Amino acid sequence: MSQLANPRLTPDGLLDEKAMAPVSWRTPIILGVISIVGLLAFVIFTHPGRISRIVVSRSADAIQIGTLHLPSQGSALVLLVVAFGLTGLSFWATLNRRRLGVIPIAFGIVMLFAFLIWAVAGNTGGLPLPLLLSTTITAAVPLVFGALAGVLCERSGIINIAIEGQLLAGAFLCVVVSSATGNPYIGLIAAPIAGALVGLLLAVFSIKYRVDQIIVGVVLNVLVLGLTNYLFSTVLTQNPQGLNNPPRMPSFAIPGLSEIPVIGPALFNQTVIVYVMYVVVAVLQVMLFRSRWGLRVRAVGEHPKAADTVGIKVNRTRYRNVVLGSAIAGFGGSAFVAAALPFTKEVSAGRGYIALAAMILGRWSPTGALAAALLFGFADSLNRVLGNIGSPVPYELLAMLPYLATIFAVAGLVGRIRPPAAEGKPYP
Amino acid sequence: MTQEPENPESPVVPEQDPGTGARGNRDATRPDDQWLRDAMHRMLTSNWLVTLLAIVAALVISGVLIAIADEDVREASTYFFARPLDTVSAAWNSVAGAYASLFRGAVFDFQAPTLARAIRPITETMVAATPLIFAALGLGMGFRSGLFNIGAQGQVLMGAAAATYVGITWSLPVVVHVVMAVIAAMVVGGLWAGIAGFLKARTGASEVIVTIMLNWIAIWLVTYLLTTTVLRQGGSRPISPAVGENARLPLLFGEGFRLHWGFLLALGAAALVWWLMERSTIGFKFRAVGANMDAARTAGINVNMIFVFVMVTAGILAGLGGAAQILGTDKTLQAGSAGSIGFDAITVALLGRSRPLGTVLAALLFGALRAGSPLMQTVSNTPIDIVLVIQAVIVLFIAAPPLVRSIFFLPSPDRPRRVKEVAA
């Protein structure tokens, strides 16, 4: 690189301070504050001499690892030292105008472990790590599908607030069809159809009738909620055996992979829904960012006029994406009832909105959505597990975390997030 | 609905192209009944007609659902081809029975033994409409100012929690206590909504996302506070004690009716909002920002300040709705006290086209659905949930006037009917 080409250098070859963006100290300062709070909470105000037990293996696992007995204060201190190190590193990186890269993520993981050790300090049962991970996946699956639906719709420029309704519709039709046929896989085929129908309504109203997409989304949620509640209270309650008695979705263990300690059973001994999820995330990630189709979709979502000029059918692309995305959300709805659970009123319980949050935190990309959904699923599952073994933090406060994280994210407190430029605007 | 709704007087385009034809020529070809045709055209393309037809269409669709779910209908439909009229009459009976009981529960109970019992349903409708009016007024202001506030649910709940806190912990004299409780609800509701306004103004964060998230945070926060001594004070169930006698909104018609002063306050708030939006400087700024944000900024309006103002005002109104629900109707707070007021309020504001009068009427309609549905459930076995369907379908149709026009074969206001001109 020629130095002359760099506009940030003065003719003398020195860095022109005025020409450069001001250094933002926000991230290092936030990390520093969290580290100090963590030091106070997890180390200094923790009862010395307590032991944190962590159960690593289930009795059914092939490879057995004994329960870890960690001294709470000491382990937390070690982790906090690492956290302070990472904070220092982030200060150094900011000072030298380098990208922070994985530092905040690594910091988050370290603090998470410190929190876990603190939360189970002195607990006789210990933290059941395999259970924690498997319920994480269970909780995350509908979120991942919902967030993928959001990604597909919003990348093409249609805001999908109706994820909640699509999950709910998918769960409902899945239960009815699989109960009626006695075959869980036919239910899996029906679930995306229900989601796609909701999506079709969303598309018709927002593309053809140019109604505000947020309005349509909110109203569709109410509509699906009302419809499923109504049908549940009438048709399903009149005939619970025939229509609300879904068979259990069997789990398959993938040989080899499912025997990996700790993470193996959680990731690779699951129902077909989870395996479909892995495939869909991978395929969408590649297709959206590496294929002609993906380029067109993103063009439609960013600058529909330009896309139209080069011959891409904007509204046709949007119709397809909304229906496809909604079908994915509908499929995700089946995860609520995969464990032979009957349908109940409002079985989705606001997960569609968390999926929306996961999509935003994941910055409108499939893998990002997967990571954010896993994070939210982990928060949910940690909350339940801690509730079972006795938690020092109230359930209700932990349950707020995903929503708080999303507000911080959209307010730009943890990095900039930019939605597709043309989202929410009808075309032409 | 970020842009201004259509002009209430639907655009009737003059039947003559400007600049062509002499006046005398036009008068000569003008049919005598032109005024009648114009009036018909104006009526057929009016928003009121669309609203009315949307309600009719929603009732028809819900009627189909009621008929499908009815066991008699399904039984009769098994021999439909032998005696089709049985199915039709069974369907008619179930739908008519459901809607008749809905009417009896919401407006006038013509089977009641006494007059007081007969008119009680209409007061129940007003009770149900009260928090809806408050919350929807705030949302409507937001819609007209270009802000999509989904957060009425959280704001209502936070307002309700604040009113409850003042109502159960403070002890004050007669009038002061209820006034303080109401003020607390206004302050907390306003601050809660103000978070979204502030973040939008300061960082550009989408108010849609922030308010949705704030709704859930509010629910968990109130659920948490109900497990602590702040709101619970003894007892094991997550429910607050009843607010003090002095903190209650007085009843309007005595013990027999639940209608309280909150309803009159709501009507007053509607009038105030009308004045604020239509006659005050700040209201003009609100509408200017909603009509064209860039133009408003160029004209010297501090758009970011307006965002905060609008959200805080909406939050104050929603908080009042929460206060009316607790201090007037419920007396105790639970995590579910806000019910679906916040989400219903969105549909109310949309149906009322964000105007105060329309909002009051829409809130009365949806309040009637709420108030009448329990009787409908007990008398005709139609679950309350059908109300949600009716509401959602009405609003979907309202939002898409072209759809309603095409269903009912109405002329479109965009393509003006032209009188054939005789070529000179």
Side-chain angles (χ1 to χ4, degrees):
Chain A
M1 270 288 179
S2 157
Q3 287 206 331
L4 288 176
N6 192 336
R8 286 179 176 168
L9 298 183
T10 56
D12 309 330
L14 297 172
L15 270 175
D16 185 356
E17 286 289 333
K18 284 181 203 149
M20 297 174 72
V23 175
S24 167
W25 290 100
R26 193 158 53 199
T27 312
I29 289 173
I30 290 177
L31 297 192
V33 170
I34 297 176
S35 303
I36 292 168
V37 172
L39 183 70
L40 291 175
F42 303 151
V43 181
I44 294 178
F45 292 122
T46 294
H47 200 280
R50 282 203 172 153
I51 301 288
S52 296
R53 295 175 186 80
I54 296 180
V55 183
V56 183
S57 298
R58 297 181 306 176
S59 51
D61 289 353
I63 301 166
Q64 287 288 330
I65 300 174
T67 303
L68 297 178
H69 295 260
L70 302 169
S72 308
Q73 206 172 24
S75 330
L77 184 63
V78 171
L79 287 168
L80 258 301
V81 168
V82 177
F84 274 106
L86 286 168
T87 309
L89 203 60
S90 74
F91 269 103
W92 175 83
T94 310
L95 191 65
N96 291 292
R97 294 177 172 278
R98 284 169 197 258
R99 292 174 63 88
L100 291 178
V102 295
I103 293 175
I105 297 171
F107 180 85
I109 293 172
V110 168
M111 288 308 287
L112 182 67
F113 275 105
F115 170 77
L116 283 180
I117 284 175
W118 170 74
V120 296
N123 193 299
T124 46
L127 181 74
L129 209 51
L131 177 69
L132 185 63
L133 291 180
S134 64
T135 47
T136 296
I137 299 291
T138 317
V141 169
L143 301 182
V144 174
F145 281 111
L148 289 177
V151 169
L152 269 182
C153 295
E154 301 217 352
R155 280 285 180 181
S156 75
I158 303 286
I159 300 175
N160 187 357
I161 303 271
I163 299 173
E164 172 83 2
Q166 290 152 2
L167 288 173
L168 194 56
F172 180 82
L173 202 62
C174 179
V175 163
V176 171
V177 171
S178 58
S179 309
T181 58
N183 184 339
Y185 296 104
I186 300 180
L188 275 194
I189 297 170
I193 295 175
L197 284 176
V198 180
L200 193 62
L201 279 178
L202 174 67
V204 168
F205 275 91
S206 55
I207 298 171
K208 181 162 185 215
Y209 293 109
R210 301 166 60 91
V211 185
D212 190 291
Q213 295 160 12
I214 296 162
I215 291 178
V216 188
V218 171
V219 175
L220 281 179
N221 285 342
V222 177
L223 179 66
V224 176
L225 181 65
L227 269 180
T228 51
N229 278 1
Y230 177 75
L231 293 175
F232 170 77
S233 324
T234 53
V235 186
L236 260 53
T237 3
Q238 288 158 13
N239 185 6
Q241 277 305 312
L243 291 176
N244 198 5
N245 186 23
R248 172 177 281 278
M249 182 84 54
S251 298
F252 299 103
I254 294 185
L257 288 175
S258 64
E259 279 144 36
I260 302 171
V262 187
I263 59 166
L267 292 178
F268 301 110
N269 187 6
Q270 291 283 5
T271 59
V272 68
I273 301 176
V274 177
Y275 300 127
V276 170
M277 177 184 89
Y278 298 148
V279 174
V280 172
V281 170
V283 167
L284 280 185
Q285 180 73 21
V286 173
M287 289 296 283
L288 259 183
F289 298 106
R290 293 279 181 277
S291 80
R292 190 162 65 175
W293 170 82
L295 184 64
R296 289 182 172 181
V297 166
R298 286 181 293 135
V300 166
E302 294 289 343
H303 201 316
K305 201 167 204 171
D308 198 9
T309 312
V310 296
I312 302 169
K313 296 270 182 284
V314 172
N315 284 341
R316 191 189 291 172
T317 310
R318 287 185 171 176
Y319 267 110
R320 280 184 190 159
N321 266 50
V322 172
V323 171
L324 177 67
S326 310
I328 290 177
F331 187 86
S334 61
F336 290 122
V337 288
L341 296 170
F343 186 85
T344 48
K345 281 188 179 185
E346 219 173 330
V347 71
S348 53
R351 304 290 161 72
Y353 295 106
I354 301 195
L356 193 70
M359 172 200 72
I360 294 167
L361 266 192
R363 303 180 184 210
W364 288 268
S365 89
T367 46
L370 174 71
L374 283 174
L375 188 67
F376 289 166
F378 181 78
D380 193 11
S381 125
L382 180 66
N383 214 352
R384 287 186 215 176
V385 169
L386 287 184
N388 278 347
I389 65 173
S391 155
V393 187
Y395 180 89
E396 294 83 4
L397 296 186
L398 266 183
M400 278 182 211
L401 275 182
Y403 308 108
L404 274 176
T406 310
I407 290 185
F408 277 111
V410 293
L413 297 181
V414 283
R416 268 267 151 242
I417 290 188
R418 194 189 65 85
E423 81 167 20
K425 299 185 189 111
Y427 184 84
Chain B
M1 196 172 289
T2 47
Q3 65 272 68
E4 285 277 290
E6 296 156 45
N7 200 2
E9 288 89 25
S10 64
V12 179
V13 175
E15 59 275 29
Q16 190 183 25
D17 285 341
T20 59
R23 175 164 264 278
N25 189 11
R26 178 187 165 205
D27 282 344
T29 59
R30 188 185 166 98
D32 291 339
D33 59 348
Q34 186 60 45
W35 64 271
L36 187 67
R37 292 191 186 199
D38 278 351
M40 280 293 287
H41 186 78
R42 192 169 287 144
M43 203 189 78
L44 288 179
T45 53
S46 78
N47 280 338
W48 286 101
L49 187 67
V50 169
T51 307
L52 193 70
L53 291 179
I55 295 171
V56 171
L59 289 179
V60 171
I61 290 177
S62 310
V64 173
L65 275 175
I66 293 173
I68 288 174
D70 191 85
E71 288 190 70
D72 294 342
V73 178
R74 275 185 291 162
E75 202 174 307
S77 68
T78 53
Y79 53 89
F80 179 81
F81 290 104
R83 283 156 64 191
L85 280 183
D86 275 16
T87 310
V88 174
S89 76
W92 172 256
N93 284 340
S94 72
V95 176
Y99 285 153
S101 54
L102 188 64
F103 182 82
R104 274 177 53 209
V107 183
F108 185 80
D109 189 353
F110 43 80
Q111 295 180 3
T114 62
L115 183 66
R117 292 278 295 279
I119 60 166
R120 194 166 185 275
I122 188 79
T123 64
E124 283 299 300
T125 292
M126 294 174 188
V127 170
T130 304
L132 291 179
I133 297 176
F134 278 122
L137 283 173
L139 296 183
M141 281 178 64
F143 295 163
R144 292 183 74 187
S145 319
L147 277 177
F148 210 97
N149 172 7
I150 310 274
Q153 189 71 21
Q155 294 148 21
V156 168
L157 193 58
M158 292 306 286
T164 311
Y165 177 75
V166 172
I168 60 177
T169 50
W170 298 9
S171 89
L172 293 166
V174 177
V175 181
V176 184
H177 199 175
V178 64
V179 170
M180 289 309 288
V182 168
I183 289 177
M186 291 164 71
V187 169
V188 172
L191 286 178
W192 196 252
I195 298 172
F198 174 77
L199 287 179
K200 165 113 180 159
R202 190 67 194 274
T203 69
S206 155
E207 76 281 6
V208 177
I209 304 296
V210 175
T211 49
I212 288 177
M213 300 304 144
L214 283 175
N215 282 345
W216 289 97
I217 295 175
I219 288 174
W220 285 115
L221 187 61
V222 170
T223 312
Y224 171 66
L225 290 178
L226 281 169
T227 66
T228 66
T229 50
V230 177
L231 286 177
R232 196 170 66 187
Q233 303 184 340
S236 56
R237 289 174 56 216
I239 180 169
S240 80
V243 293
E245 287 289 336
N246 291 346
R248 296 180 187 178
L249 285 163
L251 295 172
L252 274 178
F253 301 131
E255 282 302 313
F257 301 91
R258 293 200 303 162
L259 190 59
H260 52 82
W261 273 82
F263 183 68
L264 295 185
L265 281 180
L267 295 183
L272 203 65
V273 167
W274 176 84
W275 178 84
L276 185 78
M277 290 304 279
E278 307 292 338
R279 292 289 180 271
S280 74
T281 318
I282 187 94
F284 174 76
K285 289 182 180 173
F286 286 1
R287 286 183 288 137
V289 171
N292 188 335
M293 196 187 301
D294 296 324
R297 189 176 281 124
T298 312
I301 294 174
N302 186 343
V303 175
N304 285 340
M305 211 59 201
I306 297 295
F307 285 154
V308 180
F309 275 177
V310 171
M311 285 305 293
V312 169
T313 321
I316 287 174
L317 285 163
L320 272 171
Q325 185 68 18
I326 297 299
L327 306 177
T329 315
D330 284 355
K331 316 291 191 301
T332 62
L333 179 80
Q334 307 175 41
S337 278
S340 58
I341 293 172
F343 287 108
D344 290 349
I346 298 176
T347 51
V348 167
L350 293 173
L351 177 58
R353 295 180 194 273
S354 306
R355 299 299 198 281
L357 178 62
T359 300
V360 170
L361 295 177
L364 283 172
L365 175 67
F366 286 178
L369 294 178
R370 294 270 139 193
S373 51
L375 189 70
M376 180 177 71
Q377 182 156 24
T378 46
V379 172
S380 68
N381 264 330
T382 305
I384 293 181
D385 309 297
I386 196 75
V387 167
L388 281 180
V389 180
I390 299 179
Q391 260 172 252
V393 175
I394 291 178
V395 175
L396 270 184
F397 280 134
I398 295 282
L403 180 63
V404 179
R405 294 211 168 93
S406 60
I407 290 177
F408 291 96
F409 302 107
L410 293 182
S412 159
D414 306 333
R415 278 176 295 146
R417 179 187 48 86
R418 277 167 188 263
V419 176
K420 275 184 193 161
E421 298 250 344
V422 180

